[in-house]
Amino acid sequence: PILGGDQIVGRLDPKLYRDRGMLDIRKVWWEPGIKATKKRTRSLEQAVDLFARQLGAETWTIHA
């Protein structure tokens, strides 16, 4: 799930390729009524970057 404060605002489908050191976000779904604003997209990218580093991935990509 993707949280916006204490509310679920979306979901994503991650896949970690350990052999390549890459985290691939294969799909992002926003909840009904939630728009993918620039601010929300930047926040998602920051969160994915942190998540990737915690997993040991050197690179990441999002297929929105």
Side-chain angles (χ1 to χ4, degrees):
I2 302 168
L3 296 176
D6 61 351
Q7 176 185 10
I8 294 177
V9 297
R11 300 164 197 281
L12 53 83
D13 179 18
K15 170 71 175 164
L16 177 62
Y17 295 94
R18 287 185 180 92
D19 59 332
R20 293 187 258 168
M22 185 182 101
L23 176 64
D24 184 22
I25 305 301
R26 300 184 291 189
K27 179 80 173 150
V28 176
W29 296 269
W30 298 104
E31 293 297 311
I34 302 295
K35 299 205 187 285
T37 63
K38 288 181 183 180
K39 181 179 177 183
R40 192 166 277 133
T41 301
R42 278 193 307 272
S43 292
L44 175 62
E45 290 171 349
Q46 290 171 348
V48 168
D49 187 59
L50 177 61
F51 184 46
R53 285 187 278 134
Q54 290 173 337
L55 294 173
E58 298 172 9
T59 60
W60 56 268
T61 186
I62 297 176
H63 304 279

